[in-house]
Amino acid sequence: MRPGNPVVGGYADRMADTPPGGAPHPSPPPSPAGPTYPSAAPQPATGPVVVQARKSGLTWLRVLVMVGAILFIAACAVYMLFELGESLGVTALLIGLGAAILPVPVLVACFLWLDRYEPEPMKYLVFCFAWGAFVSTAASLNVNGWAASLFSDWGLPDALVAVLVAPFIEELTKTLGPILLLIFRRREWSGITDGLVYCGLSAVGFAMVENILYLGGHGYAAGAEQYGPATGAQQVFLIFIMRILLSGFAHPLFTSMAGVGLGIAARSADRRVRFLAPVAGLLLAMMLHGTWNLVPSLVQATGEALILLYGYIGLMVPIFFGMVGLAIWLRGWEGRLVERTLPDYVHAGWLTPPEVASLASLGRRHSARRWARRVAGDAGAKAMQGYQLAATRLALLRDGLRRGLDTKPAALARIAQEEQQLLAEISACRQVFVGRDPQAPVGIWDGVRYHLVFPDGVRRAVAAPEEPVVPVPVVLAPPPMPATPGGYRPPAGPYGPPYRVPPPGGLPVSRPTGNWGAPPT
């Protein structure tokens, strides 16, 4: 908690490292005066104009793309409903649909649980799920059927379709939806976690429709046709145990390999990584899917049931738990990224070290929301949630700038504008809960030590603790205003006029004055 002191060996140096996702571009160490920005910034007179022109020019294109995507997915949904209804019958379709939907909320909740630091927009999550459920299944159904007919004409067994064709077309089409999202909405990708979420939801949608076919067709329809409805219900129960309870993770596991590759590509500025990482992840997903389909084919060919047990316990289960461990570790990546990135804004005066510490984990964020609810009611809890989300987005924006994800003048102007908006949002959210705790003593942080008013009414200076945590919100003492030229200037928030500090080698960075507190952690 010493933003005014040299940062070498201090709190900023102890920040967590960034996990794989493209090596960050080298940048000078944070200056006590504030974050450094690319020197090749767009001219203020023309930069915003270019951004605004491009933004308005893309509005109609984005609307057309959105409408086209909705209509295309809806057409595929109608097609799949017609195909399943015609091949299964109404009764088998309804039974298969009811059984296949049961695990979907659980699987979707697991992927949403991974994405709690910076939740993705619901419309993109629905898009990926619907893409996998309808577009991918429609394409896979036709390609697999065409391949089965072709292999039959060649005298080849149908099992080869499951091993050689199905993994290719199914993984390709399941991943194509998230790939389109990466191309058109790359800013919505914060790393590997988002890749796992988008691709995982696409796979869950695909598995749901595929399970309708197995549960309704191979389960109820086949059993009821031969031995009656009771046998059909019994087969539905057995297939439910095998396909959902024991191997319901299969499709999300396969496609998560492609999600890792897409997540790495999203946070890399290297063109080779952007191309090779998704290709490698997609190939790994196809190979894993093909191996999974090969195991029952070998059991059928050899009659050795132990092959299925060895393949399940010896291969798939370890890979599954390995991916679960990776996902849990990546879940905290955005928290560690906040710890590593936001100290730039600490040195600029926008934040204090305790605020960064309070954002470092989901547990601390939950405690901060409880504190805000206690001192400011539901409005305080909502404001704290908005503050945490804006701070996470600010860290992601800053990390992308460090990595060199956007280097064009128009993109840099957009980043500067978005940064101003996020800082203003942080200021507005903080205003709701700061200064409302009646149990908090009056304190001021001057950049070196705390000045706290004790119960006897005397104000005393207290040194900062070693850990960057303070139990009470404090006020930042405004430093003297220097005479500096104009430049980049975040908006003046509710805490007073901006205070501009020129960092070496970069554009000036503003610092507001007034009440800047941090929740207890």
Side-chain angles (χ1 to χ4, degrees):
M1 297 188 65
R2 294 175 288 277
N5 296 342
V7 297
V8 178
Y11 171 61
D13 288 345
R14 297 196 298 270
M15 295 302 170
D17 295 331
T18 303
H25 279 213
S27 59
S31 166
T36 57
Y37 290 85
S39 56
Q43 295 297 327
T46 60
V49 177
V50 174
V51 175
Q52 182 64 29
R54 291 192 176 188
K55 183 177 180 180
S56 61
L58 288 177
T59 300
W60 290 108
L61 177 60
R62 289 172 178 172
V63 171
L64 291 176
V65 170
M66 180 181 66
V67 172
I70 294 175
L71 293 177
F72 180 63
I73 293 175
C76 292
V78 173
Y79 171 78
M80 286 303 301
L81 180 64
F82 175 79
E83 286 291 326
L84 292 177
E86 186 179 26
S87 60
L88 303 181
V90 176
T91 302
L93 175 61
L94 294 177
I95 292 176
L97 178 62
I101 288 179
L102 290 178
V104 171
V106 177
L107 294 174
V108 170
C110 290
F111 284 106
L112 296 182
W113 176 81
L114 289 177
D115 196 32
R116 290 184 59 189
Y117 275 100
E118 198 251 340
E120 304 308 316
M122 183 58 63
K123 58 183 178 181
Y124 299 139
L125 302 178
V126 173
F127 166 78
C128 289
F129 181 87
W131 182 277
F134 305 121
V135 179
S136 179
T137 53
S140 300
L141 182 65
N142 284 277
V143 173
N144 289 338
W146 169 79
S149 176
L150 187 63
F151 281 27
S152 178
D153 295 339
W154 291 348
L156 298 176
D158 291 341
L160 290 180
V161 176
V163 178
L164 300 178
V165 179
F168 173 82
I169 187 61
E170 291 178 9
E171 295 306 320
L172 179 62
T173 53
K174 281 188 292 183
T175 310
L176 184 57
I179 289 176
L180 293 176
L181 195 60
L182 178 61
I183 293 174
F184 291 100
R185 287 293 185 272
R186 186 184 175 193
R187 292 172 57 194
E188 298 297 336
W189 288 69
S190 61
I192 301 177
T193 302
D194 287 355
L196 294 177
V197 172
Y198 287 137
C199 289
L201 290 178
S202 178
V204 170
F206 181 93
M208 181 190 71
V209 176
E210 188 182 56
N211 286 334
I212 295 175
L213 180 61
Y214 277 90
L215 293 167
H218 300 287
Y220 181 82
E225 183 179 354
Q226 293 183 4
Y227 305 105
T231 302
Q234 182 181 11
Q235 291 192 185
V236 169
F237 180 74
L238 294 177
I239 294 177
F240 184 90
I241 294 177
M242 294 297 298
R243 284 195 58 86
I244 295 179
L245 297 184
L246 296 181
S247 61
F249 62 86
H251 276 290
L253 177 63
F254 304 150
T255 317
S256 66
M257 304 299 171
V260 172
L262 293 176
I264 292 175
R267 303 300 295 179
S268 176
D270 192 325
R271 293 181 179 272
R272 294 168 297 181
V273 174
R274 290 183 182 181
F275 174 77
L276 293 177
V279 171
L282 186 58
L283 290 177
L284 184 59
M286 293 176 180
M287 293 171 59
L288 190 61
H289 194 164
T291 303
W292 175 265
N293 290 349
L294 178 63
V295 170
S297 299
L298 293 176
V299 172
Q300 185 177 6
T302 62
E304 295 290 339
L306 287 179
I307 296 178
L308 182 61
L309 183 63
Y310 293 151
Y312 182 81
I313 298 179
L315 179 63
M316 291 301 166
V317 171
I319 295 177
F320 169 73
F321 282 109
M323 284 301 300
V324 170
L326 176 64
I328 293 175
W329 182 80
L330 288 170
R331 183 174 180 259
W333 173 74
E334 289 175 355
R336 296 190 296 273
L337 179 66
V338 167
E339 276 193 305
R340 184 180 183 271
T341 306
L342 289 188
D344 286 350
Y345 297 93
V346 171
H347 303 312
W350 282 101
L351 302 170
T352 61
E355 291 180 291
V356 177
S358 70
L359 296 165
S361 68
L362 291 174
R364 291 183 177 183
R365 294 188 180 207
H366 178 68
S367 298
R369 290 193 295 271
R370 289 181 58 189
W371 170 84
R373 185 183 300 275
R374 178 172 61 84
V375 302
D378 292 339
K382 185 177 180 180
M384 178 62 73
Q385 186 176 7
Y387 162 80
Q388 293 170 347
L389 180 59
T392 304
R393 289 176 176 172
L394 182 64
L396 292 168
L397 187 73
R398 177 68 171 164
D399 179 68
L401 185 63
R402 284 179 170 180
R403 294 174 181 270
L405 300 184
D406 297 297
T407 57
K408 296 181 180 180
L412 294 177
R414 175 189 55 77
I415 290 173
Q417 182 181 7
E418 186 174 352
E419 183 184 50
Q420 295 179 35
Q421 295 172 352
L422 290 173
L423 290 171
E425 185 177 347
I426 288 174
S427 301
C429 290
R430 184 189 284 107
Q431 195 177 29
V432 177
F433 49 77
V434 166
R436 296 180 178 269
D437 192 347
Q439 300 178 357
V442 178
I444 295 178
W445 170 253
D446 64 3
V448 179
R449 59 182 61 86
Y450 293 101
H451 300 270
L452 301 177
V453 177
F454 283 75
D456 57 3
V458 179
R459 175 174 292 179
R460 297 182 177 88
V462 179
E466 289 296 327
E467 293 296 326
V469 177
V470 63
V472 295
V474 296
V475 177
L476 286 180
M481 182 169 299
T484 58
Y488 167 75
R489 177 175 177 171
Y495 300 98
Y499 166 75
R500 291 181 288 177
V501 181
L507 300 176
V509 178
S510 300
R511 170 177 181 154
T513 60
N515 293 328
W516 292 84
T521 56

